[in-house]
Amino acid sequence: MKNMVLVIGANGQLGSVLVKALRRTFGVKNVISSDVYCKNKSEDIFEVIDATDMTRIQDVVIKYKVTQIYHLAAILSAKGEENPLATWQVNMKTLFNVLEVARKNNLDKVFFPSSIAVFGQGAPAENTPNNVSLDPTTVYGISKVAGENWCNYYFNKYGLDVRSIRYPGIVGYQSLPGGGTTDYAVDIFHKAVLNKKFQCFLKKDTTLPMLFIDDAIRATLEIMSVPKTDISVRTSYNLSGISFSPEEVVHEIRKLYPDFEVTYQPDFRQEIAATWPKSIDDDKARKDWGWKPQYSLEEIAKIMIKKLRNYYHTDIRSLESLSV
Ligand code: SER
């Protein structure tokens, strides 16, 4: 049967890049991008969807004969703390709507992104395994734990093929994150390339699990492409890329911008980060669907700087030395 893919929350950091990758895989006409407003007027197929409205999702699914949904809409960890109950409503209602539409229309597959935010202090901070006690401290984390369990429930009760990854912080040049605790790791590169000072909201030695955008996209496509029987984890898979702290990023950036200035002013996001793992054991993803990250911090820094320089049209130093 033909694949027809709907991406909900396509304006976000992951969605905007994932839509392009899905279009390369399935063909431009077979991927529908959607969000609460249209960001890119030249978008190939775009539908306005507020995912809190189940009827709207249903209408688009019927209109295009959708077979797969990637449900990326959510309010992230830091932003979510501004209004915990509203965050819970949005994150859970949109997931229930997607799961119900998928069940009622017998969709082939659903993708649900989870996060390292599911972990709290009850989990070991180093090499955090897939199966540990989950005691998140943010409403975002609570909604992801609940969401994972609901995905597992829909698989067990209705046979709905929902697949999920616990993403670390995602570092990419094509899009900006919004409202997360790991956002500094993108913002810092923009400031460096623009020759601005950077004020970091985390302490300099706060190590967190991170993942380059290309690895994140590849992981998403890989988990969704393997046979259903290969997926043994129906809550969500741990996924590891690299781990680094702000001072380690600064070290890489100063190789090209020796005068880059950074100050540290930890805020409430430091407390969130302090409850998250430093590194992740992703053994199950490696065994079940062959996951292997490709990018080191050094490579990520080089690519981020090169791409952002192109984006901002700066040419302060020779790019030749980057050799990426
Ligand atoms: N990047 C996310 C956040 O910081 C984690 O999933 O909220």
Side-chain angles (χ1 to χ4, degrees):
M1 198 174 77
K2 192 173 124 183
N3 291 298
M4 185 58 90
V5 179
L6 170 62
V7 180
I8 294 176
N11 288 352
Q13 186 194 15
L14 188 62
S16 51
V17 189
L18 184 64
V19 164
K20 292 197 177 80
L22 289 167
R23 285 189 172 142
R24 284 194 294 274
T25 306
F26 294 110
V28 168
K29 291 199 173 68
N30 299 321
V31 179
I32 306 131
S33 167
S34 79
D35 210 308
V36 285
Y37 69 96
C38 184
K39 200 158 83 170
N40 174 7
K41 301 285 175 219
S42 59
E43 189 75 73
D44 289 296
I45 308 179
F46 183 89
E47 291 283 342
V48 173
I49 294 181
D50 174 347
T52 60
D53 178 355
M54 194 196 298
T55 312
R56 181 68 190 133
I57 302 173
Q58 167 79 16
D59 289 348
V60 173
V61 164
I62 302 282
K63 176 176 170 188
Y64 293 94
K65 299 191 173 63
V66 167
T67 62
Q68 300 183 20
I69 299 180
Y70 291 68
H71 170 45
L72 307 180
I75 300 174
L76 296 191
S77 61
K79 182 83 187 148
E81 294 308 289
E82 285 170 17
N83 197 338
L85 294 186
T87 300
W88 173 260
Q89 293 291 348
V90 168
N91 289 0
M92 297 314 296
K93 188 161 179 33
T94 56
L95 174 61
F96 285 131
N97 287 347
V98 168
L99 291 174
E100 273 299 279
V101 169
R103 178 182 74 80
K104 287 183 187 152
N105 294 278
N106 290 316
L107 298 202
D108 287 346
K109 284 176 216 171
V110 172
F111 180 76
F112 171 68
S114 187
S115 161
I116 53 167
V118 296
F119 299 111
Q121 270 159 341
E126 301 280 358
N127 269 326
T128 311
N130 223 101
N131 256 329
V132 282
S133 91
L134 301 175
D135 54 353
T137 53
T138 61
V139 67
Y140 171 68
I142 300 171
S143 72
K144 289 297 180 188
V145 173
E148 288 184 4
N149 284 315
W150 275 104
C151 291
N152 190 37
Y153 179 90
Y154 268 72
F155 173 74
N156 287 324
K157 188 150 178 115
Y158 306 115
L160 183 65
D161 187 3
V162 195
R163 306 178 184 195
S164 176
I165 287 172
R166 289 173 181 156
Y167 292 109
I170 296 174
V171 184
Y173 52 87
Q174 304 96 323
S175 54
L176 290 170
T181 303
T182 55
D183 292 11
Y184 90 87
V186 176
D187 198 20
I188 195 168
F189 287 105
H190 286 260
K191 293 290 187 302
V193 168
L194 292 169
N195 286 308
K196 290 188 175 165
K197 291 181 189 167
F198 181 65
Q199 185 172 300
C200 187
F201 57 73
L202 297 183
K203 287 188 197 160
K204 63 181 177 184
D205 59 351
T206 309
T207 300
L208 288 172
M210 299 278 183
L211 188 67
F212 188 50
I213 185 85
D214 291 17
D215 272 343
I217 298 295
R218 187 168 50 81
T220 314
L221 297 178
E222 282 175 7
I223 190 180
M224 290 300 275
S225 69
V226 295
K228 192 173 173 177
T229 46
D230 288 1
I231 304 293
S232 71
V233 178
R234 287 293 175 174
T235 48
S236 190
Y237 281 94
N238 277 8
L239 194 82
S240 176
I242 33 146
S243 289
F244 60 74
S245 63
E247 66 184 346
E248 287 168 319
V249 187
V250 172
H251 175 77
E252 288 305 321
I253 290 175
R254 285 198 180 135
K255 289 182 183 170
L256 282 143
Y257 294 92
D259 302 327
F260 183 48
E261 278 182 61
V262 182
T263 53
Y264 296 91
Q265 200 143 46
D267 63 18
F268 73 101
R269 289 168 282 192
Q270 175 61 40
E271 284 159 40
I272 296 175
T275 68
W276 287 0
K278 295 186 194 312
S279 59
I280 298 288
D281 175 352
D282 60 1
D283 199 44
K284 286 212 181 325
R286 288 173 189 256
K287 283 200 182 112
D288 284 4
W289 41 277
W291 167 244
K292 199 167 186 295
Q294 284 177 356
Y295 292 89
S296 66
L297 174 57
E298 196 177 2
E299 288 164 332
I300 294 171
K302 282 181 176 176
I303 299 170
M304 288 296 287
I305 290 170
K306 181 175 177 177
K307 296 285 188 183
L308 292 177
R309 276 181 177 179
N310 286 343
Y311 175 73
Y312 289 117
H313 303 291
T314 55
D315 190 17
I316 302 148
R317 253 162 240 272
S318 161
L319 297 180
E320 258 51 334
S321 62
L322 291 172
S323 64
V324 289

